[in-house]
Amino acid sequence: MAEAQNGSAGPQAVPAASARPPATPEGVALAYGSLVLMALLPIFFGALRSVSCAKSKNSSEMPETITSRDAARFPIVASCTLLGLYLFFKIFSQEYINLLLSMYFFVLGILALSHTISPMMNRFFPANFPNKQYQLLFTQGSGESKEEIVNYEFDTKDLVCLALSSVVGVWYLLRKHWIANNLFGLAFSLNGVELLHLNNVSTGCILLGGLFIYDVFWVFGTNVMVTVAKSFEAPIKLVFPQDLLEKGLEADNFAMLGLGDIVIPGIFIALLLRFDISLKKNTHTYFYTSFVAYIFGLGLTIFIMHIFKHAQPALLYLVPACIGFPLLVALAKGEVTEMFRFQLSGFMHASGSRFFPESQPSQHGPGPAWSYESSAEILPHTPRLTHFPTVSGSPASLADSMQQKQPCPRRRRQQSPSAM
């Protein structure tokens, strides 16, 4: 959800308080334009990185797969979480809750930012850099019942990235500065789009449709979402000051956008990119269509919010656009029937990982796949999403790898930078 608000940040769109002078038109335009640009960056680059992630042979860096069952339960789990936070803020001291949340997101933010900048930082290390290997291993039990809790391999380059990310983390923890908040927010968003994969387009429609209802209900139907957003101090949103031109970096009249409005449509757009590539037609029609649709939906959200000065659930505009535009393109190309009938297993995860080259005929005849699927049979090592990420879009593979109970040895990451 988008928001224009003075002072503290949150993921809703609310009118500016009368206690402060209104922002100038230039400041408002700069803030909204910056939010749109910041929202597009993690979606675009996260989608590109999701292709390499899906092809990865590294078991610990495999994406989390969201199935249709997960997608159907997601709005219910999100609603319970939101209501639980609302009750916590009503019953307990907001100060102590935000202290715990700050520490939690401090750790996650450092891991997410480190993972985000690692491919870029690898380009700056000289060839003769003394790169030593390390392993962090925790086990539980003994003998045949012994199982790995953590098995994480890393090197000196990873430690450098972690140290740089820790500087940003300390800055955020001490100052809660909006730039540090945005660095963490962008890292969360990019990791979410890269590492959370929908298993087919139908699942994406279920997820977006369910969260469409969730967003509309909790924004228009109650004050729960707005209350939590105003009370929740964590990098779960991107913010940009509307009074930057007047106050500089110390500005505090923020416009903001929740990370959920980036990650949720973003994973659907990333799925369409992988679908385009799997068709082997050297075109990214559905990806670019959905990307333009996201820009249109987000722009419409900001316009409606600015006109009516009221909280706006961004998914109310983003979901119809991101689903409707690709569907119209498919209709224009005469591929809708084939899309719903034909099923294509997306990416090969085996020795010689590759994309499926051609569409194989089914009993209904050949054609492109609206029900494009990253099949469990084709991706046997891809872990199924058994619990849901926070609304911030935190990096699932890094956080969840610290909690998985099954053995999951980590092989060395490729030294060449991953696709950005």
Side-chain angles (χ1 to χ4, degrees):
M1 285 141 287
E3 179 177 7
Q5 176 185 345
N6 288 318
S8 61
Q12 316 303 322
V14 298
S18 59
R20 299 177 186 268
T24 63
E26 295 82 3
V28 172
L30 178 62
Y32 289 158
S34 299
L35 283 180
V36 172
L37 179 61
M38 287 192 292
L40 296 178
L41 289 176
I43 291 178
F44 186 83
F45 291 105
L48 293 179
R49 289 175 59 153
S50 75
V51 176
S52 299
C53 182
K55 294 164 57 179
S56 174
K57 298 179 183 180
N58 193 327
S59 59
S60 69
E61 294 183 354
M62 289 300 297
E64 293 279 4
T65 301
I66 302 177
T67 66
S68 57
R69 182 177 181 182
D70 299 323
R73 297 188 317 180
F74 193 97
I76 299 175
V77 174
S79 296
C80 294
T81 302
L82 180 66
L83 187 59
L85 286 172
Y86 176 79
L87 295 176
F88 266 98
F89 281 119
K90 287 294 184 180
I91 297 173
F92 301 102
S93 170
Q94 178 177 326
E95 178 183 356
Y96 294 116
I97 296 176
N98 280 318
L99 179 61
L100 292 175
L101 292 173
S102 295
M103 295 303 300
Y104 174 71
F105 283 101
F106 167 75
V107 175
L108 286 183
I110 291 176
L111 294 175
L113 188 58
S114 177
H115 179 263
T116 300
I117 67 174
S118 180
M120 179 181 63
M121 290 298 298
N122 283 336
R123 301 177 181 179
F124 296 98
F125 290 107
N128 59 350
F129 181 81
N131 196 33
K132 296 183 179 180
Q133 310 299 318
Y134 303 94
Q135 182 178 24
L136 183 65
L137 177 63
F138 288 99
T139 60
Q140 176 178 298
S142 60
E144 296 182 356
S145 62
K146 185 177 182 179
E147 58 181 358
E148 294 178 356
I149 306 300
V150 175
N151 188 351
Y152 190 77
E153 293 183 7
F154 54 97
D155 55 29
T156 308
K157 295 179 180 179
D158 294 324
L159 292 178
V160 173
C161 294
L162 197 64
L164 293 176
S165 302
S166 299
V167 174
V168 178
V170 173
W171 182 24
Y172 172 78
L173 198 62
L174 297 179
R175 296 290 304 278
K176 295 292 194 300
H177 198 277
W178 61 273
I179 295 180
N181 175 92
N182 285 350
L183 290 175
F184 276 173
L186 288 170
F188 284 143
S189 299
L190 189 145
N191 278 272
V193 175
E194 176 188 358
L195 300 171
L196 290 174
H197 288 195
L198 297 163
N199 67 343
N200 56 49
V201 178
S202 298
T203 298
C205 293
I206 294 173
L207 179 64
L208 267 65
L211 290 177
F212 172 91
I213 299 173
Y214 159 88
D215 216 15
V216 172
F217 173 77
W218 289 110
V219 173
F220 287 150
T222 72
N223 70 336
V224 172
M225 184 82 79
V226 175
T227 301
V228 172
K230 291 179 178 179
S231 306
F232 202 90
E233 294 182 5
I236 61 169
K237 68 274 174 183
L238 298 178
V239 301
F240 199 90
Q242 301 178 76
D243 54 348
L244 179 68
L245 300 178
E246 292 78 22
K247 297 183 178 180
L249 296 180
E250 298 304 319
D252 58 0
N253 181 9
F254 294 110
M256 56 201 71
L257 180 69
L259 298 191
D261 302 322
I262 302 173
V263 175
I264 299 302
I267 61 177
F268 185 76
I269 295 172
L271 172 69
L272 293 180
L273 173 61
R274 298 191 299 273
F275 169 63
D276 278 329
I277 294 176
S278 71
L279 296 179
K280 289 294 185 178
K281 294 183 177 180
N282 295 322
T283 61
H284 297 158
T285 304
Y286 292 102
F287 170 68
Y288 288 125
T289 299
S290 58
F291 194 75
V292 171
Y294 181 85
I295 298 174
F296 171 79
L298 187 57
L300 183 60
T301 303
I302 293 175
F303 175 77
I304 297 296
M305 179 189 66
H306 185 70
I307 294 298
F308 291 97
K309 311 295 183 184
H310 189 273
Q312 295 298 318
L315 293 181
L316 173 63
Y317 311 97
L318 291 173
V319 169
C322 290
I323 295 179
F325 279 37
L327 188 59
L328 289 176
V329 170
L331 183 64
K333 296 174 68 175
E335 297 177 347
V336 175
T337 302
E338 292 86 350
M339 283 180 172
F340 278 99
R341 286 180 177 178
F342 189 81
Q343 179 169 308
L344 178 68
S345 297
F347 293 90
M348 180 74 79
H349 177 72
S351 58
S353 174
R354 58 179 176 86
F355 300 119
F356 267 74
E358 295 92 19
S359 302
Q360 300 177 3
S362 69
Q363 60 180 350
H364 303 290
W370 180 258
S371 56
Y372 160 80
E373 179 171 4
S374 297
S375 172
E377 289 76 15
I378 302 302
L379 298 174
H381 302 295
T382 302
R384 179 175 175 273
L385 182 66
T386 55
H387 62 283
F388 297 96
T390 64
V391 69
S392 64
S394 59
S397 72
L398 292 174
D400 291 345
S401 66
M402 306 295 290
Q403 302 173 3
Q404 290 176 348
K405 301 300 182 182
Q406 69 273 16
C408 186
R410 185 183 193 273
R411 290 180 248 173
R412 281 297 309 133
R413 185 184 57 204
Q414 298 291 332
Q415 295 300 320
S416 59
S418 60
M420 289 292 294

